[in-house]
Amino acid sequence: MNIRWLDTIDSTNSEALRRLPELPHGTVIAALEQTAGRGQRGNTWFSEPGRNLTFSLVLKFGPEGLPPASALPPLAAADAVRLNYLASLTVARFLQDQGVGCTVKWPNDVYAGRRKICGILIENALDGAFLASSVVGIGININQRDFPQLANATSLRCLTGKEYSLEECLQQVLAHIEALLPALHEGQRLFADYSALLFGRDVNARYHDLLTDREYTGVIQGVAPDGRLCIRDLDAPGQPLRYYRFKEVGFIL
Ligand code: BTN
């Protein structure tokens, strides 16, 4: 993979999207500082300059038969959820290498205990029923010590007491991505490994159904093969399991 380190940029995802046509498959845009880091649901991603990993990986999907260095084989848009699994698993494996146990809060926040250590923002472009490209944006809190704006954030430094080289951490994360990339086209493997890491599985907790604006106690049963989160509603016994797409349910932590 071809890493381009920037001192400062508004957002590595925005930069990758602006320059997408000219950026080769496998380009990684990493920044020491993001002035307008973007999170899911239009949120801002806050990261202390020079202390954390903030980067975006450009993936391009080609017609069958292109050399692997220039594009991945075609991937159906219906299978795009596998990119979530891949990115979450990559970060989880990197953290496990550092001795930090973690879970993945659906769809793709990585948690250490009850604190968030990584956020992922994936932005896809489609070509009909297939993916044309994907910008996989990953922010991992590495050396930051304090999170004044964020009540439930943590970093590797907070958890292990050690300082890390951002360059080395990025290399390690990318090695995990490379190892997992072939599984994107394999179906079940990423799904099974992701499911095993699911935050809140088999635990009673409060959820907010955003479709009906109702809060209830439920238990996550798992993730459906299409990526929907499956929750048993304990306040409505006898009702069918509830299935949610992104932005249809909130965790009350
Ligand atoms: C979230 O948890 O809401 C997703 C956060 C994603 C943050 C990363 S940092 C690198 C990349 N560039 C961005 O602007 N966002 C992603």
Side-chain angles (χ1 to χ4, degrees), residues 11-13 34 37-40 45 54-56 109 116 119-121 137-139:
S11 145
T12 57
N13 265 42
Q34 290 191 129
R38 295 193 289 115
Q40 292 172 18
W45 181 254
T54 50
F55 69 94
S56 302
D109 290 340
K116 180 165 168 172
I120 295 169
L121 179 66
I138 301 183

Tab-separated table of all heavy atoms in Angstrom, residues 11-13 34 37-40 45 54-56 109 116 119-121 137-139, ligand 1:
chain	number	residue	atom	x	y	z
A	11	SER	N	-10.110	16.674	6.299
A	11	SER	CA	-10.527	15.312	6.643
A	11	SER	C	-9.864	14.384	5.629
A	11	SER	O	-9.898	14.669	4.419
A	11	SER	CB	-12.059	15.219	6.546
A	11	SER	OG	-12.479	13.955	6.080
A	12	THR	N	-9.281	13.309	6.101
A	12	THR	CA	-8.627	12.392	5.150
A	12	THR	C	-9.657	11.752	4.216
A	12	THR	O	-9.368	11.490	3.049
A	12	THR	CB	-7.813	11.310	5.879
A	12	THR	OG1	-8.686	10.599	6.762
A	12	THR	CG2	-6.648	11.904	6.651
A	13	ASN	N	-10.885	11.511	4.727
A	13	ASN	CA	-11.920	10.970	3.839
A	13	ASN	C	-12.277	11.982	2.754
A	13	ASN	O	-12.400	11.625	1.575
A	13	ASN	CB	-13.187	10.622	4.629
A	13	ASN	CG	-13.237	9.170	5.040
A	13	ASN	OD1	-12.222	8.611	5.465
A	13	ASN	ND2	-14.396	8.556	4.941
A	34	GLN	N	-6.434	16.624	11.547
A	34	GLN	CA	-7.637	16.874	10.748
A	34	GLN	C	-8.328	18.093	11.348
A	34	GLN	O	-8.599	18.116	12.554
A	34	GLN	CB	-8.587	15.693	10.807
A	34	GLN	CG	-8.088	14.456	10.076
A	34	GLN	CD	-9.185	13.412	9.942
A	34	GLN	OE1	-9.448	12.918	8.870
A	34	GLN	NE2	-9.819	13.058	11.050
A	37	GLY	N	-12.460	16.679	10.897
A	37	GLY	CA	-12.632	15.229	10.821
A	37	GLY	C	-14.121	14.883	10.875
A	37	GLY	O	-14.865	15.478	11.645
A	38	ARG	N	-14.512	13.964	10.043
A	38	ARG	CA	-15.940	13.635	9.938
A	38	ARG	C	-16.247	12.278	10.563
A	38	ARG	O	-15.484	11.330	10.402
A	38	ARG	CB	-16.366	13.634	8.464
A	38	ARG	CG	-16.272	15.018	7.838
A	38	ARG	CD	-16.976	15.070	6.501
A	38	ARG	NE	-16.266	14.336	5.460
A	38	ARG	CZ	-16.740	13.259	4.853
A	38	ARG	NH1	-17.900	12.735	5.211
A	38	ARG	NH2	-16.046	12.684	3.901
A	39	GLY	N	-17.369	12.217	11.283
A	39	GLY	CA	-17.822	10.961	11.863
A	39	GLY	C	-19.120	10.517	11.221
A	39	GLY	O	-19.597	11.127	10.263
A	40	GLN	N	-19.693	9.461	11.765
A	40	GLN	CA	-20.967	8.972	11.251
A	40	GLN	C	-22.086	9.942	11.615
A	40	GLN	O	-21.959	10.711	12.560
A	40	GLN	CB	-21.266	7.599	11.847
A	40	GLN	CG	-20.313	6.535	11.338
A	40	GLN	CD	-20.493	5.213	12.069
A	40	GLN	OE1	-21.503	4.976	12.707
A	40	GLN	NE2	-19.490	4.364	11.978
A	45	TRP	N	-15.380	14.333	14.075
A	45	TRP	CA	-14.443	13.418	14.747
A	45	TRP	C	-13.320	14.262	15.330
A	45	TRP	O	-12.556	14.877	14.604
A	45	TRP	CB	-13.888	12.388	13.764
A	45	TRP	CG	-12.932	11.412	14.397
A	45	TRP	CD1	-11.573	11.387	14.263
A	45	TRP	CD2	-13.269	10.308	15.264
A	45	TRP	NE1	-11.039	10.354	14.989
A	45	TRP	CE2	-12.065	9.671	15.612
A	45	TRP	CE3	-14.465	9.812	15.784
A	45	TRP	CZ2	-12.017	8.551	16.444
A	45	TRP	CZ3	-14.426	8.698	16.617
A	45	TRP	CH2	-13.225	8.077	16.933
A	54	THR	N	-5.320	8.935	12.096
A	54	THR	CA	-6.500	9.315	11.304
A	54	THR	C	-6.092	9.097	9.848
A	54	THR	O	-5.182	9.765	9.354
A	54	THR	CB	-6.922	10.778	11.549
A	54	THR	OG1	-5.797	11.639	11.427
A	54	THR	CG2	-7.538	10.976	12.913
A	55	PHE	N	-6.725	8.143	9.202
A	55	PHE	CA	-6.323	7.834	7.829
A	55	PHE	C	-7.486	7.252	7.035
A	55	PHE	O	-8.489	6.806	7.609
A	55	PHE	CB	-5.131	6.860	7.817
A	55	PHE	CG	-5.473	5.476	8.286
A	55	PHE	CD1	-5.829	4.488	7.378
A	55	PHE	CD2	-5.450	5.159	9.629
A	55	PHE	CE1	-6.160	3.206	7.800
A	55	PHE	CE2	-5.793	3.884	10.068
A	55	PHE	CZ	-6.134	2.907	9.150
A	56	SER	N	-7.314	7.293	5.719
A	56	SER	CA	-8.334	6.749	4.813
A	56	SER	C	-7.660	5.893	3.760
A	56	SER	O	-6.659	6.303	3.164
A	56	SER	CB	-9.093	7.888	4.119
A	56	SER	OG	-9.681	8.734	5.078
A	109	ASP	N	-18.130	0.716	15.572
A	109	ASP	CA	-17.324	1.429	16.569
A	109	ASP	C	-16.552	0.380	17.362
A	109	ASP	O	-17.139	-0.615	17.792
A	109	ASP	CB	-18.213	2.180	17.569
A	109	ASP	CG	-18.909	3.372	16.948
A	109	ASP	OD1	-18.448	3.853	15.900
A	109	ASP	OD2	-19.914	3.822	17.536
A	116	LYS	N	-15.060	4.099	23.828
A	116	LYS	CA	-14.787	4.008	22.389
A	116	LYS	C	-13.334	4.367	22.111
A	116	LYS	O	-12.839	5.406	22.552
A	116	LYS	CB	-15.725	4.965	21.656
A	116	LYS	CG	-15.560	4.987	20.150
A	116	LYS	CD	-16.753	5.662	19.501
A	116	LYS	CE	-16.502	5.975	18.037
A	116	LYS	NZ	-17.698	6.465	17.350
A	119	GLY	N	-13.243	4.938	15.628
A	119	GLY	CA	-14.434	5.162	14.805
A	119	GLY	C	-14.094	4.924	13.339
A	119	GLY	O	-12.954	5.136	12.915
A	120	ILE	N	-15.088	4.485	12.596
A	120	ILE	CA	-14.867	4.109	11.191
A	120	ILE	C	-15.950	4.764	10.335
A	120	ILE	O	-17.137	4.711	10.685
A	120	ILE	CB	-14.914	2.566	11.057
A	120	ILE	CG1	-13.746	1.947	11.843
A	120	ILE	CG2	-14.874	2.142	9.587
A	120	ILE	CD1	-13.837	0.445	12.014
A	121	LEU	N	-15.525	5.387	9.258
A	121	LEU	CA	-16.476	6.020	8.322
A	121	LEU	C	-16.147	5.516	6.915
A	121	LEU	O	-15.090	5.835	6.364
A	121	LEU	CB	-16.329	7.543	8.388
A	121	LEU	CG	-17.231	8.342	7.445
A	121	LEU	CD1	-18.703	8.174	7.819
A	121	LEU	CD2	-16.857	9.826	7.482
A	137	GLY	N	-12.360	5.154	6.066
A	137	GLY	CA	-11.728	6.109	6.985
A	137	GLY	C	-11.706	5.554	8.398
A	137	GLY	O	-12.729	5.101	8.913
A	138	ILE	N	-10.534	5.569	9.010
A	138	ILE	CA	-10.379	4.968	10.336
A	138	ILE	C	-9.675	5.964	11.255
A	138	ILE	O	-8.636	6.525	10.901
A	138	ILE	CB	-9.564	3.652	10.247
A	138	ILE	CG1	-10.270	2.656	9.321
A	138	ILE	CG2	-9.340	3.065	11.639
A	138	ILE	CD1	-9.592	1.295	9.202
A	139	GLY	N	-10.261	6.186	12.407
A	139	GLY	CA	-9.614	7.003	13.442
A	139	GLY	C	-9.402	6.140	14.671
A	139	GLY	O	-10.378	5.639	15.251
B	1	BTN	C1	-17.462	7.758	13.880
B	1	BTN	O1	-17.238	7.038	14.850
B	1	BTN	O2	-18.405	8.561	13.891
B	1	BTN	C2	-16.603	7.639	12.669
B	1	BTN	C3	-15.325	8.403	12.809
B	1	BTN	C4	-14.384	8.242	11.643
B	1	BTN	C5	-13.144	9.081	11.803
B	1	BTN	C6	-12.122	8.835	10.728
B	1	BTN	S1	-10.609	9.667	11.061
B	1	BTN	C7	-10.050	9.347	9.458
B	1	BTN	C8	-11.229	9.521	8.527
B	1	BTN	N1	-11.365	10.897	8.128
B	1	BTN	C9	-12.478	11.457	8.599
B	1	BTN	O3	-12.829	12.638	8.432
B	1	BTN	N2	-13.170	10.555	9.301
B	1	BTN	C10	-12.513	9.273	9.322
